[in-house]
Amino acid sequence: MSGFEADWLTLREPADRRARNPILLEAAAAYALEKIGPIVDLGCGTGSTFRALDPLTANGRSWIFVDDDPRLLDRALEALPATANERVTLQRADLAQPTETLFAGAALVTASALFDLVSSAYIVELAQALRRENVGLYTALTVDGRVEWEKPHALDEIIVEAFARDQKTDKGFGEGLGGDAAAVLDDAFRAEGFSIRSSTSDWLLGADDAELQDAFHKGFAQTARARLDAEDLEEWLAFRASAAREGAMVRVGHRDCLAFPPG
Ligand SMILES: C[S@@+](CC[C@H](N)C(=O)[O-])C[C@H]1O[C@@H](n2cnc3c(N)ncnc32)[C@H](O)[C@@H]1O
């Protein structure tokens, strides 16, 4: 199981919602409305993509939420409005195992903050599977490796490098793509003949997001433990916490992508 905390997903959801490209989100909804079949959300977590997309589809589509973490599926179920209980199916599944049957008859496949975890081969196979089933993909908030702090610190570079290296480690799907995922998605789906629309969907975090900044920075610092002293990391975290509360911004690069199958 992948070990994402529900509290982290809850903390990031407002920033994710602000960052999602609204044009791609609306186009994804319009596409789904023209199709029959469920929307299949891969790595659903607590249901962030559902909450962003469902209102734009007149809250009427059926959904399949797929995740391998039963605690997150429970949280997703608890968070569902009563009106959606009948039309959302929860499916516990390891996406690293063959999942093609999930896509048959789907109106749209969605994912958010997922594809940095997977390998290049995984995305190529997903593009091939969705091509065979003639299903479109809407994916949001794929990190693209950019992190820009308004207030720099001497350790930023080494910490960003450590984070990028950690992202390349196996997260259950083979060598992780990390910040390369967004480009690989575009290329793999284009190679299968999909028409692609993609756009940046950066987090822009300021003083109002200080708690999210703290959690994000803590995750970064953890990946640098092997390379830096604990004291240096504490000092960096304190610097970042104080900069966040002074209103210094951090931009975290993400991309959204909409891929429509040919024909
Ligand atoms: C960063 S979270 C994103 C969750 C949600 N889409 C969101 O945007 O809040 C990644 C999600 O992928 C799920 N996940 C990771 N590896 C998985 C796997 N092998 N099979 C199924 N789900 C997986 C995690 O449990 C988690 O819910």
Side-chain angles (χ1 to χ4, degrees):
M1 218 167 54
S2 36
F4 285 90
E5 293 300 327
D7 291 347
W8 161 246
L9 300 182
T10 302
L11 188 58
R12 60 173 289 169
E13 187 166 339
D16 285 343
R17 181 69 78 88
R18 289 198 307 268
R20 283 177 193 269
N21 180 292
I23 295 169
L24 297 189
L25 185 65
E26 275 170 30
Y31 177 84
L33 279 170
E34 282 172 10
K35 308 274 166 189
I36 49 169
I39 298 172
V40 179
D41 190 30
L42 305 179
C44 63
T46 67
S48 170
T49 295
F50 168 83
R51 285 184 285 279
L53 188 59
D54 193 52
L56 301 178
T57 58
N59 303 87
R61 303 311 304 255
S62 61
W63 283 73
I64 301 176
F65 285 7
V66 186
D67 209 288
D68 69 342
D69 188 333
R71 297 164 314 149
L72 296 180
L73 288 169
D74 284 349
R75 288 283 287 261
L77 185 62
E78 283 163 23
L80 279 181
T83 50
N85 273 326
E86 296 286 303
R87 51 192 183 87
V88 176
T89 306
L90 305 183
Q91 185 158 337
R92 185 178 174 192
D94 178 2
L95 292 169
Q97 303 304 318
T99 46
E100 197 151 340
T101 51
L102 277 176
F103 308 135
L108 178 70
V109 167
T110 60
S112 58
L114 176 71
F115 289 121
D116 57 297
L117 304 176
V118 310
S119 65
S120 186
Y122 184 86
I123 288 182
V124 168
E125 281 167 26
L126 178 68
Q128 290 168 348
L130 295 191
R131 171 75 184 89
R132 281 193 294 276
E133 299 294 341
N134 200 35
V135 177
L137 175 76
Y138 163 66
T139 178
L141 300 151
T142 307
V143 289
D144 68 5
R146 286 173 298 125
V147 185
E148 294 158 16
W149 286 282
E150 188 180 1
K151 195 168 174 183
H153 184 285
L155 294 181
D156 290 345
E157 200 176 321
I158 191 165
I159 291 175
V160 169
E161 265 173 35
F163 184 74
R165 191 165 306 164
D166 179 75
Q167 282 199 304
K168 299 278 175 188
T169 59
D170 188 342
K171 306 283 194 265
F173 296 87
E175 186 185 336
L177 279 166
D180 296 331
V184 172
L185 270 167
D186 285 7
D187 290 348
F189 278 80
R190 198 170 279 122
E192 288 299 317
F194 283 71
S195 65
I196 306 293
R197 290 163 74 185
S198 66
S199 155
T200 54
S201 53
D202 295 352
W203 277 357
L204 278 174
L205 308 181
D208 290 346
D209 309 296
E211 206 188 332
L212 176 58
Q213 287 204 44
D214 289 348
F216 172 71
H217 292 139
K218 206 168 152 198
F220 257 64
Q222 270 167 3
T223 64
R225 276 182 308 187
R227 303 178 75 194
L228 291 170
D229 292 343
E231 259 178 36
D232 287 340
L233 286 172
E234 284 306 318
E235 191 274 319
W236 183 80
L237 282 171
F239 174 90
R240 286 275 150 245
S242 140
R245 281 152 186 83
E246 286 162 15
M249 304 294 290
V250 54
R251 175 187 291 273
V252 184
H254 293 95
R255 290 191 75 78
D256 293 355
C257 173
L258 193 55
F260 292 154

